[in-house]
Amino acid sequence: MAKDATFDIVSEVNMAEVTNAVNQTEREITQRYDFKGVTSEITLEKDSVKITTADEMHLKSIIDVLQSKFIKRQVPIDNLEYGKIEPAAGGAVRQVVTIKQGIDKDLGKKITKDIKDTKLKVQPQFMENKIRVSGKKIDDLQAVIAKLKENDYGIALQFNNFRS
């Protein structure tokens, strides 16, 4: 009997690269002319980046720099969720950017339904924050990957642990 081929659908962010991108952003902001005399702070917490600065214009500049650093380091910016802009002490503004890790239950159901709608002979199985897809034919699994890449789920999906 032939063994099934499998792969996992995950949504992961390399937090070491996030740390490097935040550090590079801090360095660049301290050297930029338009930030002279402006107090700005970027702090990385467990799964979020907190940005505090003088006004919304500087906040947008910091976010632009941060996104460019993320892109250079292959951190998917689709996994960033921007909180609302809040007032902070001294007339400053603050925004929390949450980094989404894993596939939540609702999105897992949507992806599983999309896989089943392909009518291919594969079995998707939701496990905690990833989806394992198994099937007898490798071509079917590759067709599932191609179909999922066409759709936009609001987060970056990675396909790993491909075993035949």
Side-chain angles (χ1 to χ4, degrees):
M1 185 167 120
K3 192 170 190 263
D4 285 357
T6 63
F7 72 91
D8 293 338
I9 304 168
V10 296
S11 180
E12 297 173 341
V13 176
N14 185 343
M15 291 307 285
E17 294 295 342
V18 170
T19 303
N20 291 337
V22 168
N23 291 339
Q24 285 181 341
T25 302
E26 284 178 326
R27 243 177 287 142
E28 183 172 322
I29 286 169
T30 58
Q31 296 172 354
R32 280 180 46 165
Y33 180 76
D34 57 337
F35 279 90
K36 290 267 191 261
V38 177
T39 305
S40 298
E41 183 182 8
I42 305 171
T43 54
L44 178 63
E45 293 162 6
K46 184 180 176 206
D47 59 350
S48 64
V49 178
K50 187 165 79 173
I51 304 168
T52 308
T53 190
D55 54 35
E56 287 190 36
M57 183 188 73
H58 286 98
L59 180 68
K60 298 230 182 298
S61 294
I62 292 172
I63 288 173
D64 287 344
V65 172
L66 187 64
Q67 284 182 345
S68 71
K69 300 299 179 192
F70 280 164
I71 290 168
K72 283 182 184 175
R73 299 193 149 275
Q74 279 92 31
V75 175
I77 60 173
D78 293 343
N79 288 35
L80 303 178
E81 186 175 285
Y82 299 93
K84 64 181 180 126
I85 300 171
E86 306 167 343
V93 293
R94 175 185 316 121
Q95 187 173 24
V96 177
V97 180
T98 307
I99 301 165
K100 296 187 279 186
Q101 294 267 34
I103 299 172
D104 64 9
K105 207 170 207 166
D106 294 335
L107 184 59
K109 286 180 183 177
K110 183 176 180 352
I111 293 171
T112 302
K113 182 185 177 309
D114 288 349
I115 292 171
K116 288 181 179 179
D117 288 346
T118 62
K119 304 287 189 222
L120 296 169
K121 292 185 178 180
V122 295
Q123 293 81 37
Q125 180 182 8
F126 185 75
M127 315 163 84
E128 282 201 38
N129 55 5
K130 67 180 179 182
I131 299 171
R132 175 155 295 153
V133 182
S134 59
K136 297 235 184 274
K137 296 181 182 175
I138 293 176
D139 291 343
D140 288 348
L141 296 180
Q142 289 172 338
V144 168
I145 291 173
K147 186 71 176 165
L148 292 177
K149 284 183 178 180
E150 292 174 5
N151 299 338
D152 180 24
Y153 294 105
I155 60 172
L157 297 177
Q158 293 95 27
F159 307 97
N160 60 19
N161 292 339
F162 201 98
R163 296 197 177 102
S164 55

